[in-house]
Structures are given as structure tokens and as C-alpha cells.
């Protein structure tokens, strides 16, 4: 069977608390959706983009409920708690791909010996800006590489789709319209090629001197060496850990001058690198945010 590559769906950004993430993302010019509670102890406040990808800042609403969920075999919560213990309360822990059949993905992951554990089905209420409420349902299939304990990938199937018209939530004062690239670092990026080929489902892969580019259906995943992270994102990576870590997000913006003006007006420190603006790491942000003018 010939697979077509999955699209990027969303990115998971653990945060010390949702209020802090909301404040930081607001300063960066993003519209943040109302807080939403998961039925297993975590909560989020998402940033929805016009290209139908989104950011999921993830907080802990109830530590006790999280611990109960882990005991019940909830992979999502277990991996979030492990990331917070091993890495940081603020960070970038997971890359999520859209799928029409999470059960099929789970079977593929098991066959390839990269399944991270039991699938997860859940639903949660979602409030819209106009005050209406709907129920969003999800089915998740998890994948992980034992060589990379601080990175999780999963495929997300919408059982009850999110509202198609999220226009008010998808408009951002910084001019951002979507995600162009996601950057991950590893000392030897090439060793993770097979892992991503399996998860994404037969993507085109480009090799270069700084690592690999994985072509998903909508976004490029960059697996970069520490030298590559410095060359493309001015982000020093000082580590002897050979594991994989999610590090940076490159956003598409309509007009970079709108983005920089918003940052200046809101006291956001940024630098320029080639034709990009880089907003440095800050509490509540989790990853380096880069912005580029892309039609």
C-alpha cells in the first residue's frame, strides 16, 4: 500500500501554567482560545492558525488526576509528566500529525516497534469566542523512539471535528497565517530518518550537510545538528545527549514589518537572521519562535 504523507496537525508546548502562556503568546501577537480542560488532568489554551495547524500550550490542571490517569495507562499524560521531570516545565514536547485512521496508524507503529503505548480516545468541550460551546472528540495513536526519551510523536484523528469556521481565533495581530517549518535537534539527525518516515507515512526526505528535511503534507520538519540549529536559528545547543529534542517553530507571516512593529510595541525582544525575525525563548513560550514573510 502506498502511503500519502500525513499533515502536521499541532504542536504540544508544556507550560508552567496556562495563564503565563496566554500572557506571553498575547504579547507575541497571537489570539489565544479560551482555556479548555482535558478529562485526564491537563488543560490547554490553543492558538489556531489559518492553515489549520495549531499550537497547544499544555498545563497541569490537577496533579492528582494526572497521576490517576498515568496509573490507568494514559500515554499522553505520562509522557507530559516525564518531560516536565526530565527537561523543564516550559518546553516543546510533541509533534502531532493529522490522520483519518488512527487505528491503522497504531497498527503500523506496533509493526515497526515504535508504538509508545495504548491509544487514547477522549472528548472535551470547546468554547468559541461568541460564547457558544461544542464538543471536540479525538483518537490518538502514539509513537516514540527509545533513543529519544524527551520527544513524542502521535497521530490525531478528529472524531467530532473542531468547528470549520474558527475565523475569529485564526486572526492574529502579528500577521501570522501558519507554520512553515518545525526544527528538531539531534547530534546525528540521520539516525531518526526511519522513525519519521514511518510516522509521517512515506514522506519525501532531503539530506543536507546540517541534517534532514522531512516533507510532510503541509510543513517541513527539519532534523538538524547543533551546527544546523545555530546556522538557521542562532540557537546554541550545548548537549552531549544524542536524543531528539523539538526546538523551534518557523511561522509564516503576511508582512514581517507588521510582526516587528507589534513586537516593538509590546516590548518583545527579537533579533534578525537573514530574512527572519527570531523571538527568543521566554517563560510561557516553550520554543524559539521564528517568523518569515511567506505568501
Amino acid at each position: 500500500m502506498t502511503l500519502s504523507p500525513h499533515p502536521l496537525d499541532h504542536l504540544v508546548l508544556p507550560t508552567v501554567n496556562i495563564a503565563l502562556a496566554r500572557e506571553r503568546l498575547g504579547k507575541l501577537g497571537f489570539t489565544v482560545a479560551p482555556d479548555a480542560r482535558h478529562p485526564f488532568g491537563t488543560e490547554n489554551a490553543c492558538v489556531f492558525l489559518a492553515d489549520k495547524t495549531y499550537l497547544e500550550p499544555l498545563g497541569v490542571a490537577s496533579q492528582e488526576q494526572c497521576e490517576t490517569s498515568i496509573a490507568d495507562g494514559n500515554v499522553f499524560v505520562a509522557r507530559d509528566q516525564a518531560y516536565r521531570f526530565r527537561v523543564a516545565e516550559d518546553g516543546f514536547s510533541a509533534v502531532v500529525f493529522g490522520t483519518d485512521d488512527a487505528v491503522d496508524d497504531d497498527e503500523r507503529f506496533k509493526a515497526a516497534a515504535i508504538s509508545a503505548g495504548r491509544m487514547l480516545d477522549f472528548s472535551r468541550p470547546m468554547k468559541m469566542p461568541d460564547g457558544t460551546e461544542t464538543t471536540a472528540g479525538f483518537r490518538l495513536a502514539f509513537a516514540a523512539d527509545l533513543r529519544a526519551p524527551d520527544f513524542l510523536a502521535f497521530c490525531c484523528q478528529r472524531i467530532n471535528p473542531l468547528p470549520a469556521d474558527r475565523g475569529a481565533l485564526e486572526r492574529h495581530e502579528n500577521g501570522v497565517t501558519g507554520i512553515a517549518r518545525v526544527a528538531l535537534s539531534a547530534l546525528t539527525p540521520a539516525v531518526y530518518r526511519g522513525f519519521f518516515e514511518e510516522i509521517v507515512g512515506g514522506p519525501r526526505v532531503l539530506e543536507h550537510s546540517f541534517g534532514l528535511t522531512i516533507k510532510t503534507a503541509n510543513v517541513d520538519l527539519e532534523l538538524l545538528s547543533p551546527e544546523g540549529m545555530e546556522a538557521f536559528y542562532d540557537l546554541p545547543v550545548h548537549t552531549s545527549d544524542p536524543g531528539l529534542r523539538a526546538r523551534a517553530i518557523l511561522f509564516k507571516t503576511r508582512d514581517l514589518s507588521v510582526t516587528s512593529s507589534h513586537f516593538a510595541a509590546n516590548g518583545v525582544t527579537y533579533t534578525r537572521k537573514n530574512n527572519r525575525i527570531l523571538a527568543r525563548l521566554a517563560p510561557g513560550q516553550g520554543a524559539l519562535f521564528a517568523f518569515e514573510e511567506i505568501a
Side-chain angles (χ1 to χ4, degrees):
M1 181 179 69
T2 303
L3 296 172
S4 58
H6 287 325
L8 177 75
D9 188 79
H10 67 279
L11 305 172
V12 182
L13 301 161
T15 183
V16 122
N17 67 65
I18 289 299
L20 182 66
R22 179 179 293 282
E23 180 186 358
R24 175 61 180 171
L25 291 167
K27 270 193 170 184
L28 287 165
F30 289 106
T31 301
V32 185
D35 293 2
R37 179 82 178 257
H38 292 136
F40 33 74
T42 52
E43 61 184 346
N44 64 27
C46 295
V47 172
F48 295 103
L49 304 174
D51 67 352
K52 304 308 174 186
T53 62
Y54 66 97
L55 307 180
E56 183 185 13
L58 187 71
V60 175
S62 165
Q63 186 64 36
E64 184 180 3
Q65 196 174 5
C66 284
E67 288 169 8
T68 301
S69 299
I70 293 170
D72 291 340
N74 186 310
V75 174
F76 180 81
V77 179
R79 295 291 298 223
D80 177 62
Q81 289 283 306
Y83 184 94
R84 292 172 189 276
F85 177 80
R86 283 179 46 85
V87 182
E89 290 277 348
D90 265 310
F92 181 4
S93 61
V95 174
V96 188
F97 301 95
T99 183
D100 295 325
D101 191 345
V103 171
D104 179 67
D105 290 309
D106 187 56
E107 289 171 357
R108 286 194 302 108
F109 298 163
K110 286 175 181 172
I114 59 169
S115 170
R118 196 173 76 206
M119 292 182 69
L120 177 63
D121 282 81
F122 73 97
S123 60
R124 66 164 177 82
M126 178 182 175
K127 281 187 180 174
M128 299 303 288
D130 63 2
T132 60
E133 191 169 287
T134 185
T135 298
F138 307 89
R139 178 171 294 150
L140 313 181
F142 301 99
D145 189 316
L146 290 173
R147 299 169 296 183
D150 302 320
F151 177 77
L152 179 67
F154 57 95
C155 290
C156 175
Q157 179 182 356
R158 304 279 166 75
I159 305 304
N160 299 323
L162 294 170
D165 181 17
R166 302 196 299 253
L169 292 173
E170 292 173 351
R171 286 190 290 274
H172 304 282
E173 291 181 8
N174 56 19
V176 166
T177 58
I179 295 172
R181 295 173 179 266
V182 176
L184 306 99
S185 73
L187 294 182
T188 315
V191 303
Y192 297 104
R193 176 173 180 156
F195 176 65
F196 281 97
E197 285 178 327
E198 194 64 54
I199 295 162
V200 178
R204 193 157 61 94
V205 180
L206 308 177
E207 295 186 11
H208 51 80
S209 58
F210 290 120
L212 305 173
T213 300
I214 313 285
K215 311 285 285 186
T216 77
N218 59 342
V219 169
D220 287 352
L221 295 185
E222 298 181 299
L223 275 57
L224 300 174
S225 64
E227 294 78 13
M229 290 302 306
E230 191 117 34
F232 293 125
Y233 294 97
D234 271 353
L235 186 63
V237 176
H238 303 299
T239 181
S240 58
D241 184 346
L244 188 66
R245 287 275 301 278
R247 301 277 187 186
I249 305 162
L250 175 63
F251 295 97
K252 297 182 281 191
T253 181
R254 291 187 306 273
D255 185 341
L256 210 51
S257 65
V258 169
T259 311
S260 60
S261 295
H262 182 87
F263 288 177
N266 285 271
V268 173
T269 303
Y270 67 90
T271 58
R272 292 184 183 269
K273 174 78 171 179
N274 301 326
N275 56 342
R276 297 174 179 175
I277 282 177
L278 309 176
R280 288 296 169 193
L281 288 163
Q285 186 176 319
L288 182 143
F289 284 8
F291 302 82
E292 187 172 343
E293 204 169 297
I294 300 173

